[in-house]
Structures are given as structure tokens and as C-alpha cells.
Amino acid sequence: MERYVVRNIERPDKTIIEDFSKLDVSTVYEAQGKIGLVSHELKTVRQGNMICGPAVTVTCFAGDNLMIHAAIEVCKPGDVLVITTIGESTTGMIGELIINALMKRGVQGVVSEAGIRDASRIRECGFPVWSRAIHSQGSTKSRGGWVNAPTVCGGASVNPGDLVMADDDGVVFVKKEDLKFALESSNRRMSKEEDTKARIERGELSLDFYSLRGILEKENVVYYESEEARASKK
């Protein structure tokens, strides 16, 4: 099987990226039809970070980070490095030195199916990372793989140049061909949420404005004025 590096990829327009940057992962995931969400096992290393940018994809063999080094060369400012592994891995496949190199290239952040190390120093520099584990075990650098090939990360498919969004709630991918639909749907959802916040502020109950009382009745949920009243029905 051919192993390769694609140097140049199509990236979303900067205006689109800026518009998505005003949103959050949960909103986009819900708005695009509850797809593209990465496994909860990939967690942020430092709370409070948010990234939004095109994916540069890397597929490595578990425990070997050769292709991550190859990917650094093709990254451009604003990119997000998405690392997947053939075989499950918690090895610390990136650490302080790779992070420094990525920052030098202007990379926004990393989403990795594998592990990281040098966690405290990564937190100190503020570089955004979402990973499966923090583990001191080091990597080899001897197995070829793929840079900018279609792949699957954390159970979600991602192609080079797809949009990556990540925040404290998780990571979501948006396909290049779905960007317009996902953005419009997300903005509609945000507008609806603003209306819902206003209704809550007015004292309205979610049971009413979501029309949930009928579902409670259908599910045979019975109301009692007190525990004593409920006990007397037994």
C-alpha cells in the first residue's frame, strides 16, 4: 500500500472560519444533524481553549510519530493537526518539542487519538491540545504513514481541509461540502436559543414551551401534592 504526504490541500475561506469561530462545538454538532462529533475519550489538556480551523490529517502507526514530523512541514498558519493511529495508542506521541515546532508554523492546536507528554509545559504555553491520554512513554520514528489522507479520528471521519472545532465540550468535524448548511443551521439554532433564554427570563417553564406535559402524561407520570398523598394511593 502506498504511503504518502500531500503537501497542499484546499482550505475553507477565512470568512467562513471566522463565522464558525463565533459558535461552539455543541451548537454545530446539533445543527448539522448530530454528526461529526469525536469520542468523549479525547479531552482538552487545558480548560478554556477554543480552536476553529482546517484539518491537516496525520495517520501514524501506534507508538510511532514519524509522520507527525513529516506533517509539520506542510502545516500552514491557522491549521489544526488531527492525529490518528493504526492500532490504539496512549503513547505520548507529541510533547514540548513538537508543540514548539507547531507553534512556530502557526498551527492553532492538535486533536490526537494517541497520548501526549510534557503536559505541564504544554499548559504553561497555552497551546490547545485534545488527546486520549497523558503518558510519558516515548515514540519510535521508523514507520511510514500518511499526511493529508482521509481518516477517522475518535470515531468521526475527517478529510484534509475539513473544519475542526474544539472547546471544553469536545471536538466536532464539519465536512467542506457541508460548511454553508452547517453555518446557516447553527445560526438559526443560536437565534432560537436566544428566544428560549428570554422565555426562561420571563418565568416560563420548559415543560410548557417545549410541550413536554403531554409526553409526561403519555409516559404515565403521575403528580402528587405530597409524599403522604402518594403513599395513601398505595
Side-chain angles (χ1 to χ4, degrees):
M1 180 183 296
E2 181 186 35
R3 302 174 189 183
Y4 59 82
V5 175
V6 175
R7 292 184 179 274
N8 296 298
I9 60 172
E10 181 184 354
R11 293 169 170 84
D13 185 83
K14 290 183 178 180
T15 302
I16 291 287
I17 295 174
E18 289 172 1
D19 289 340
F20 271 99
S21 296
K22 301 171 186 175
L23 303 168
D24 58 78
V25 166
S26 296
T27 294
V28 173
Y29 158 68
E30 294 278 356
Q32 70 172 349
K34 296 186 177 180
I35 59 173
L37 191 65
V38 170
S39 169
H40 66 90
E41 295 178 342
L42 276 62
K43 295 180 171 60
T44 181
V45 174
R46 180 179 181 270
Q47 295 289 317
N49 283 326
M50 189 276 180
I51 58 174
C52 180
V56 169
T57 63
V58 187
T59 304
C60 305
F61 284 87
D64 191 287
N65 70 359
L66 174 64
M67 298 312 293
I68 296 175
H69 291 274
I72 294 170
E73 182 183 20
V74 304
C75 286
K76 293 185 177 180
D79 286 344
V80 177
L81 193 65
V82 178
I83 303 168
T84 65
T85 59
I86 298 174
E88 188 169 323
S89 176
T90 57
T91 299
M93 290 175 63
I94 62 172
E96 182 183 16
L97 298 180
I98 286 179
I99 293 302
N100 288 345
L102 291 170
M103 292 176 67
K104 189 71 174 177
R105 302 290 291 184
V107 173
Q108 280 196 61
V110 169
V111 175
S112 176
E113 271 193 338
I116 66 159
R117 60 182 186 179
D118 303 328
S120 63
R121 289 190 285 278
I122 291 172
R123 291 190 186 104
E124 286 170 7
C125 75
F127 187 80
V129 176
W130 285 256
S131 71
R132 186 182 300 276
I134 297 173
H135 195 195
S136 289
Q137 184 177 5
S139 302
T140 58
K141 297 173 177 60
S142 59
R143 303 202 66 184
W146 297 264
V147 174
N148 283 328
T151 189
V152 175
C153 180
S157 63
V158 57
N159 294 323
D162 284 350
L163 192 70
V164 184
M165 292 184 64
D167 59 22
D168 288 349
D169 289 339
V171 181
V172 67
F173 301 135
V174 184
K175 299 293 186 185
K176 285 179 288 188
E177 60 270 24
D178 294 337
L179 287 172
K180 182 179 179 182
F181 161 76
L183 181 60
E184 291 174 350
S185 298
S186 295
N187 285 332
R188 285 196 298 270
R189 185 177 178 86
M190 290 293 289
S191 179
K192 185 176 180 181
E193 286 188 0
E194 288 302 315
D195 179 65
T196 300
K197 290 177 184 177
R199 299 180 79 168
I200 292 172
E201 186 64 26
R202 291 195 297 267
E204 296 183 38
L205 295 174
S206 55
L207 279 174
D208 294 319
F209 59 70
Y210 287 142
S211 301
L212 300 177
R213 295 189 187 278
I215 299 175
L216 289 173
E217 183 177 353
K218 181 181 177 182
E219 290 296 308
N220 298 315
V221 177
V222 179
Y223 280 78
Y224 294 97
E225 294 300 323
S226 66
E227 175 59 27
E228 288 78 10
R230 189 191 71 83
S232 69
K233 291 288 186 177
K234 291 182 178 181

